[in-house]
Amino acid sequence: MSAKDAPPPLPEPLLVEVADSHTHMDLQSGTVEEALIKAAAVGVTTVVQVGCDVKGSQWAAETAAAHENVHAAVALHPNEAPRIVLGDPDGRSRQGARRGGGDAALDDALNEIDRLAALPHVRGVGETGLDFFRTGPEGVAAQERSFRAHIEIAKRHGKALVIHDREAHADVLRVLDEEGAPERTVFHCYSGDAEMAGICAAKGYYMSFAGNVTFKNAQPLRDALAVAPLELVLVETDAPFLTPAPFRGRPNAPYLIPVTVRAMAEVRGMGENELAGAIAANTARAFDY
Ligand SMILES: [Zn+2]
Ligand SMILES: [Zn+2]
């Protein structure tokens, strides 16, 4: 393992315990137990494990049932819905058939998400939303249909809605308005600017900041964090992705939350304990645990 692939060192522990509001332990190396022990050692005592497809959502629900401090969110990722309907572009046969299952296959998958969303350890429905970066125009209809279905599921079960919004701010906000957002809605890996933070604040949407808030080119994100109401601010790793600076490019995991919390405290000009306390209360309120 070269130094570039090595897990970053343990940061100084936070004195006030917080939650990682969005992680993918199924995509990280090591066991769940190892990840939780390492995270707890630095004050990250709660994690929300997020599923992106049927299998991952089942795994998230099982993992949450087995661990008191793990809560689950279940969904078909915005890039997964078109894949189910249309098939994987990489899986094209020589005839050009894409081997997708059509709308019926999407309905089957949504029914399973609906079943999982009823479970007590499942506290969120997501990540769902729109992603115009990975999904091309041919997948937009399936993506939006899936998003609307997830909003309905979240509302019916009284669970938090976890939004994935990549290069789709206006359309995500439009669909939320059209459907009526659930009582608790979280923009995971918040990627809007300060103006959008004002819109989210007015609607009462939570904004969850990930490691990219530490990136050099992320000033608009820091400007958004600076104006977001404190009671709507969450922190997440989205691990194994988006490792905070100065460890960018190396594997991310929940134990690196303190690095991001400290950078966020600096942006807001407040102490890390005060910020951690607010984040802990906000995450518990958002996911109702
Ligand atoms: Zn996402
Ligand atoms: Zn994610």
Side-chain angles (χ1 to χ4, degrees):
M1 191 183 291
S2 76
K4 234 190 100 41
D5 308 322
L10 274 184
E12 280 293 310
L14 291 170
L15 299 178
V16 175
E17 294 172 350
V18 294
D20 179 350
S21 83
H22 188 114
T23 196
H24 302 283
M25 290 188 288
D26 49 334
L27 305 178
Q28 297 160 30
S29 63
T31 67
V32 168
E33 288 70 22
E34 285 163 353
L36 295 176
I37 288 169
K38 229 173 148 178
V42 294
V44 183
T45 47
T46 303
V47 305
V48 179
Q49 166 66 29
V50 179
C52 292
D53 56 16
V54 165
K55 269 209 169 75
S57 294
Q58 290 165 338
W59 189 87
E62 284 163 23
T63 304
H67 299 273
E68 202 183 340
N69 295 331
V70 178
H71 307 288
V74 298
L76 311 174
H77 190 282
N79 295 324
E80 172 69 2
R83 201 193 61 76
I84 290 172
V85 175
L86 302 170
D88 190 336
D90 301 329
R92 283 173 200 255
S93 76
R94 287 166 70 187
Q95 287 76 35
R98 307 178 76 191
R99 296 187 299 190
D103 284 337
L106 181 56
D107 285 336
D108 286 348
L110 287 168
N111 284 338
E112 176 61 4
I113 297 302
D114 188 13
R115 186 188 73 79
L116 293 169
L119 299 173
H121 302 290
V122 174
R123 308 307 312 159
V125 173
E127 53 185 294
T128 180
L130 301 173
D131 185 326
F132 296 159
F133 181 75
R134 293 253 179 252
T135 294
E138 77 283 1
V140 168
Q143 200 170 75
E144 190 166 317
R145 181 160 90 82
S146 176
F147 182 25
R148 290 180 191 274
H150 282 85
I151 296 171
E152 189 275 325
I153 291 169
K155 287 199 285 193
R156 186 154 36 80
H157 294 289
K159 304 291 167 93
L161 183 72
V162 177
I163 302 279
H164 169 104
D165 159 25
R166 191 154 182 199
E167 301 186 5
H169 305 320
D171 288 285
V172 165
L173 292 168
R174 171 182 57 82
V175 172
L176 283 172
D177 279 347
E178 287 171 3
E179 293 293 322
E183 214 170 292
R184 290 167 286 115
T185 295
V186 177
F187 275 73
H188 120 76
C189 190
Y190 179 81
S191 59
D193 57 11
E195 189 190 341
M196 181 169 159
I199 297 172
C200 290
K203 302 265 183 197
Y205 299 155
Y206 290 90
M207 289 161 264
S208 183
F209 290 84
N212 53 339
V213 75
T214 67
F215 295 174
K216 220 181 224 158
N217 61 359
Q219 192 55 44
L221 211 47
R222 287 186 285 276
D223 294 343
L225 171 60
V227 300
L230 182 59
E231 67 271 17
L232 295 177
V233 172
L234 307 183
V235 68
E236 67 173 70
T237 55
D238 201 18
F241 314 109
L242 296 174
T243 314
F247 306 115
R248 192 173 177 179
R250 289 165 69 177
N252 200 7
Y255 76 90
L256 290 171
I257 280 283
V259 178
T260 303
V261 168
R262 288 187 178 116
M264 289 169 67
E266 199 164 310
V267 168
R268 292 195 65 107
M270 63 194 292
E272 67 181 61
N273 294 341
E274 192 194 343
L275 177 60
I279 287 173
N282 297 344
T283 317
R285 196 182 334 110
F287 289 95
D288 190 28
Y289 57 75

